[in-house]
Amino acid sequence: MVGYDPEAKCVSTLEAAAAGSAAGLVSRVLVCPLDVIKIRFQLQIEQLSASNPLAKYHGILQAAQRIFREEGLVAFWKGHVPAQLLSVGYGAVQFMVFESLTKLVHNTTSYNARDYFVHFVCGGLAACTATVAVQPVDTLRTRFAAQGEPKIYHSLRHAVVTMYQTEGPWTFYRGLTPTIIAVFPYAGLQFSFYNVLQRFSEWVIPAEGKKGGNVKNLVCGSCAGIFSKTLTYPFDLFKKRLQVGGFEHARAAFGQVRIYRGVLDCIRQIMREEGPGGFFKGLSPSLLKAAVSTGLVFFWYPPGGGKLMALLCHERSGNARALNVRSGLLGPYRSR
């Protein structure tokens, strides 16, 4: 179970941050290729269909083959450095704030830290805090994944300096409005769905069959990621379209480009030119990514079942036992 648990006195705020960062780092390496394909789909104005001769991409396998042929294997990890900074920073802030908020709610209100509503609100607030903290890195990641050949940005430092000098400091926060609008319900639903699925699995699986806790975390996390991503997906697309504003020259090789004056203008143009289906471009790779990344995060993170938290708690318990032995509080046999 994620969130504050008064019955498990094991997780400190720093441990939550460390586990959240490590979980994000591990999952990011595996899902980066799907993320690149998803971003390419989201930014393509043309219909994602093989029947459209102007469409550069129209399917996951076709896109993967074309990216590999035109840009090489490393293209699937374009923007990986800022993406890793994004995952590590986001994971640390999100889980640290979530653990702190659920603990605060449990200790200062009449609500239980494990209530679905508490997980929804605290999860949403934690995600909003993390989003504001890492938005500049998210914008950099999007631009690296979106650029073709020849590259406009040759390194992370070059991208930061160029964007700052040519577009100003606020360019790093492009797309923040739709991100905040989307991330609260997305993260809130993610934590809530995970909580519901965990409770459901505890009801379905008898007590003696609960040894595979990590697999259960993986499955519940994957399902939670799919549900929440589907419900909030259009806002992720709006964010990506806005983040590449002022970057149109690097998109010329991919097809048509558009300039948006804000979220509402972005919605109007997509609806008029691409139809309702335009709001869900890239949903398939996004759901695959959400299933893998969210499942792995909850596989590695949760106390009482997650691998990383188990290691942290075991290490701290071992240190405490050793200290007690040296202090004479425990005998050598009892310390085992």
Side-chain angles (χ1 to χ4, degrees), residues 2-333:
V2 295
Y4 176 68
D5 185 355
E7 298 177 2
K9 306 291 185 180
C10 184
V11 184
S12 70
T13 302
L14 290 178
E15 286 172 339
S21 295
L25 188 149
V26 172
S27 63
R28 173 60 62 178
V29 174
L30 299 176
V31 303
C32 200
L34 287 172
D35 203 30
V36 170
I37 294 173
K38 181 201 75 168
I39 291 172
R40 298 288 178 91
F41 283 8
Q42 289 177 323
L43 298 178
Q44 181 170 295
I45 305 299
E46 294 81 4
Q47 183 183 11
L48 294 170
S49 172
S51 61
N52 186 345
L54 299 178
K56 187 177 181 70
Y57 306 120
H58 52 75
I60 295 177
L61 291 178
Q62 179 268 343
Q65 291 170 349
R66 185 155 190 174
I67 292 171
F68 178 76
R69 185 173 63 250
E70 295 178 352
E71 304 171 54
L73 183 63
V74 294
F76 293 105
W77 281 270
K78 277 187 174 181
H80 186 60
V81 173
Q84 279 292 11
L85 294 175
L86 170 67
S87 295
V88 170
Y90 187 90
V93 176
Q94 182 186 33
F95 280 102
M96 180 174 64
V97 174
F98 183 71
E99 295 285 346
S100 299
L101 286 177
T102 50
K103 181 178 180 179
L104 179 66
V105 168
H106 185 84
N107 292 335
T108 61
T109 71
S110 59
Y111 292 100
N112 188 295
R114 298 182 67 180
D115 287 346
Y116 310 126
F117 176 74
V118 171
H119 274 221
F120 178 82
V121 174
C122 293
L125 291 174
C128 288
T129 305
T131 296
V132 173
V134 302
Q135 180 69 11
V137 183
D138 191 16
T139 301
L140 288 165
R141 183 277 307 260
T142 299
R143 292 204 176 192
F144 272 105
Q147 71 175 351
E149 300 291 340
K151 295 177 181 178
I152 302 298
Y153 303 134
H154 305 293
S155 66
L156 185 60
R157 181 181 181 277
H158 179 243
V160 172
V161 172
T162 303
M163 290 170 64
Y164 183 83
Q165 290 178 343
T166 59
E167 303 174 57
W170 290 111
T171 192
F172 296 103
Y173 286 91
R174 285 180 182 267
L176 181 61
T177 300
T179 306
I180 292 295
I181 294 173
V183 77
F184 187 97
Y186 171 67
L189 289 170
Q190 192 178 81
F191 281 105
S192 295
F193 279 136
Y194 180 78
N195 192 345
V196 171
L197 292 170
Q198 282 280 356
R199 299 281 185 89
F200 179 74
S201 67
E202 291 174 359
W203 177 70
V204 171
I205 303 174
E208 61 272 13
K210 294 184 179 179
K211 293 181 179 179
N214 292 310
V215 175
K216 183 181 70 173
N217 292 341
L218 177 65
V219 173
C220 291
S222 296
C223 293
I226 291 172
F227 293 156
S228 54
K229 175 58 74 176
T230 302
L231 293 175
T232 61
Y233 182 77
F235 288 96
D236 187 40
L237 185 139
F238 304 151
K239 177 186 74 172
K240 293 296 188 295
R241 295 281 180 103
L242 293 172
Q243 283 180 326
V244 295
F247 190 60
E248 289 79 16
H249 55 292
R251 301 283 308 147
F254 292 92
Q256 301 179 58
V257 294
R258 292 291 182 271
I259 297 175
Y260 304 111
R261 294 187 298 273
V263 180
L264 293 180
D265 182 51
C266 181
I267 295 173
R268 282 194 294 265
Q269 288 198 46
I270 292 173
M271 186 65 189
R272 183 174 65 248
E273 299 180 6
E274 304 169 55
F279 297 123
F280 292 92
K281 281 183 175 177
L283 180 61
S284 297
S286 182
L287 291 183
L288 288 174
K289 174 198 166 189
V292 175
S293 61
T294 310
L296 287 174
V297 165
F298 284 112
F299 173 81
W300 284 102
Y301 175 79
K307 289 287 189 181
L308 290 170
M309 274 304 185
L311 290 173
L312 287 171
C313 292
H314 176 74
E315 180 67 22
R316 194 167 72 173
S317 297
N319 291 339
R321 289 193 191 99
L323 179 61
N324 288 336
V325 169
R326 288 195 298 270
S327 303
L329 299 178
L330 286 175
Y333 295 102

